[in-house]
Amino acid sequence: MSDFDWGVIVRSWSFLAEGMALSALLVAVATIGGLVIGFGLALMRLSSNRLIASPAAAYVTVMRSLPLVLVLFWFYFLVPLAIGRPIGSLASALIAFVMFEAAFYCEIIRAGINNVRQGQTEAGLATGLRRSQVMRHIVMPQALKAMTPLVLNQIIIVFQDTSLVYVVALHDFLTTASIVAARDGRPTEMYTLVAVVYLIICLSSTKALELYRKGRAG
Amino acid sequence: MIVLEDVHKSYGKLKILRGCSASVKLGEVVVVCGPSGSGKSTLIKCVNGLVPFEQGSITVDGVSVSDKKTDLPMLRARIGMVFQNFELYPHMTALENVSLAQIHVLKRSRAEADARSEKLLARVGLGGKLASRPSQLSGGQQQRVSIARALAMDPKAMLFDEPTSALDPEMINEVLEVMQALALEGMTMMVVTHEMGFAQRVADRVLFMDGGEILEDTPKAQFFTDPATERAKQFLTKVLTH
Amino acid sequence: MNYRWNWSILLQEPYTEWLWSGLQWTVAISLVSWAVALSVGLGVGVVRSLPSGILRVIAGVYIDVFRNIPPLVQLFLWYFVLPEIVPETIGLWIKRDLPYPEFVTAVVAIGLFAGSRVAEQVRAGIEAVGNHLMPAALATGLRPMQAFRLVVVPLGLRAIVGPLTSEFLVTVKLSSLSLTIGVLELTAQSRHIENYTFQGLEAFTVATIGYLVIGLCVTGLMRLIDDRVGGAALRRAGS
C-alpha cells in the first residue's frame, strides 16, 4: 500500500475543472434539449390519434429499455453516418443525451399533465375555451407545478449519467480524473475525489429538493 | 331551448344512456333526478358536448351539438355549466377564475372582464373574496364562484351537475339560494340533483332517470304527489325520508 | 445515408458467438447483481422504516451515499481503489487470486448501488401501507413491533412488486457498465463487432433487441407475480 499523495489533486486542478465544465455543459444541454423534445413527445403520446401517439410511445419505451452506454454507442455511430461526414464525439454525445433524456422527461411531463384532473379540462371546455387554450391556461400551469420537483430530481440523475461519456472518451469530470489517475498512478486519490465531489453535489441537491418539496406541501 | 332526441351513449359494452328524449323550454327549470349510476351526469354532459354520444341528436337554441360543423366552443360559451366538484382553477384567484374565459373566448379586455367578474362575485355574495385562491374558500364559496364563472359568459341556459353533493350539509343552502334566485330571474336551467326540496320550490318539471332511461318527465306537482312508475315511488321514499 | 447493409455478418463466426456470450454475461451480471440488490435492499429498507435507532440511521447513510455517487464511479472505487486501501494481504488476494475479478467487482458495485434504490422503494412501500394500517393494527391490540412485522412489512412488500420490476430493469441496464472494467457483456460485444466489421447498425440492432426482449420477459414475469401477491394484498386491504 503506497502512501497517499493528495497533492496530485492540486497539481491537476485546472484539468479537472475543465472536465467539470464539460459535465456541466452536458447536463445543461441534455436538460434543455431533453425537456423541449420530451414535451413534444408527451403531447404526441397524449394525442387521441394513434398514428401520432404510437410512434412516440414506442420511442419512449425503447429508449427507456436501453442502457445509456449503448445509446451513446448508437449515436456515436449513427450521427456521422446520417450527416455524411465525421463529427466530433462531443456533438454525438450531446445529441445522444438529448434524445435519451427526452424519453425520461416525456414521461415526467406526461404524468404531470395526466395528474391534472379531467374535470379541470371539462370546466375549461364548458366555458367555451378551445383545447389549446385549456392546455395553456388551465392544464399546463398546474402540471408544471406538479412536475417541477420531478424535473429537478431528473437533473440530478442526468448529472450522474454524464459520467458515462467515459465510454466515448469525452473528457468529463470522471474521465479527466481517470486520465490523471493513470498518468500519475494515483487511482485512490483521484477516484476518491470524484466520488466525494459527486456525493457533495448530488446529496446537497437531493436534500435541498426534499426541503423544497416539504416546504411546498406544508 | 334544449332538445334531446333518442340519445344513446355507451362506454365499451356498458350502456349508459339508452335512448333519452327530453326538452327544456326557454325560462324553464328542469330537475333531473334518479339513483346513482342512472346516467344523469352523463346526460347533462352530453348537452354541451363534453361527452360525445353515438346516436340521437341534441340541439341547443337550434344548433346541433353532434354536428361536426358546429363550433362547439362557441356553443359551450352560451351554456353555463356548474360541476359537482366545483373545478375551480386552483392556480388562479376567484376573480381570475371568473375572468379567464371572458378574456379568451369573449375577447373582453382584462379590465372589462374583471369589472364584470367583480359584479358577479358580489352577486353570489363573495364581493370580499376576489383575491382568494380556491384552497382558501369553503366548498360552498367555491361552488358560488363557479356559478359566477358560468354566468360571466352571459349564458342562455345553465347546466348544474349535482352542484351540492360534494358540499357539507351546512353549505348546501347558500348554493341553492343562489340557484333559486337565478331561476326566479327566468334563467333556463337543467339541474341534476338529489335536493328534492329545491325541486319542489323551483322546478317546473322533473325528469326521473334509472338504468340510462328517462322513466318520467312530469310536472313537478304530479311527480311529488303521484309518480307514474314504481321505481320513482321507491326513489322518492328513500330520498324524502332522509 | 450511405451504408452497406450486411445482416449476414451476424451469422458469421465468431460474431454470433460473441453476441451470444455477451448476452449470457449480461443476464448473469443482472441476475447476480439483482440478488445482491434485493437482499441488501430489503434488509436496509425494512430497517430504514423502523421508528428509531442507530440501525435506522446507518441505513439512511447507506441509502444517501450509494444513491448520490454515479454508479460508474462506484464501480471504479471497487475496482481500482478498494484493493489499494485494504490491508496488503487482502489487496494482493483481490488482485491475484479472486476468481472472475471483473465479474465479481461488477456484481458487487451494481448490486450495492441498485440495493440503495431498492431500499428506498421498500421504505416507501412500507411507509405507504403503514400510514394506513398501523393505527388499525394497533387498535386490534398488537404491539407496535408485532404490527410492523405481521401487517405492515408483508403488505408493504406486496405493494412494491411493480416498482421493483422497474428497479430490476434498471439493474439490467446497469450491467452494461461492467464493460468499462473489461467484462464483455452484450453492449461491449456489439461495440466490438462494430470495431471489427464497421457493421455497427446490425450489431447495435441485435443488442437493442436483446435488451428489449429481456425487458419484455422481466415485465411479463413480474406482472404474473404482481397479479398473485398484489391481488391478494388488495383483497386483504379491502376486506
Side-chain angles (χ1 to χ4, degrees), chain A residues 117 120 122 125-126 137, chain B residues 45 71 76 87-88 91 104:
Chain A
R117 291 146 40 101
Q120 288 282 307
E122 287 188 350
L125 291 176
H137 298 292
Chain B
K45 283 182 178 172
D71 185 354
R76 287 172 179 148
E87 302 298 353
L88 291 183
H91 56 300
H104 294 286

Side-chain angles (χ1 to χ4, degrees), chain B residues 61-73:
Chain B
D61 207 10
V63 180
S64 163
V65 173
S66 54
D67 189 340
K68 285 221 162 65
K69 275 175 253 157
T70 300
D71 185 354
L72 213 47

Side-chain angles (χ1 to χ4, degrees), chain A residues 117-131 133 136-139 141-142, chain B residues 45 48 50 71 73 76-77 79 83 85 87-92 100-101 104-105 149 153:
Chain A
R117 291 146 40 101
Q118 178 62 23
Q120 288 282 307
T121 303
E122 287 188 350
L125 291 176
T127 57
L129 291 169
R130 292 172 193 282
R131 281 204 174 268
Q133 292 175 315
R136 204 174 115 211
H137 298 292
I138 299 169
V139 176
Q142 297 182 52
Chain B
K45 283 182 178 172
N48 63 353
L50 283 181
D71 185 354
R76 287 172 179 148
I79 320 168
F83 295 82
N85 293 310
E87 302 298 353
L88 291 183
Y89 314 133
H91 56 300
M92 298 182 188
L100 182 76
H104 294 286
V105 177
R149 177 174 70 182
M153 307 301 287

Side-chain angles (χ1 to χ4, degrees), chain B residues 88-108:
Chain B
L88 291 183
Y89 314 133
H91 56 300
M92 298 182 188
T93 63
L95 187 75
E96 288 167 339
N97 262 280
V98 182
S99 290
L100 182 76
Q102 297 182 60
I103 294 168
H104 294 286
V105 177
L106 301 180
K107 307 293 176 199
R108 289 177 184 155

Side-chain angles (χ1 to χ4, degrees), chain B residues 36 48 142 171 193:
Chain B
S36 50
N48 63 353
Q142 290 189 54
M171 294 172 184
T193 186

Side-chain angles (χ1 to χ4, degrees), chain B residues 20-39:
Chain B
C20 294
S21 300
S23 68
V24 182
K25 292 193 213 44
L26 192 67
E28 219 178 9
V29 176
V30 172
V31 161
V32 184
C33 64
S36 50
S38 58

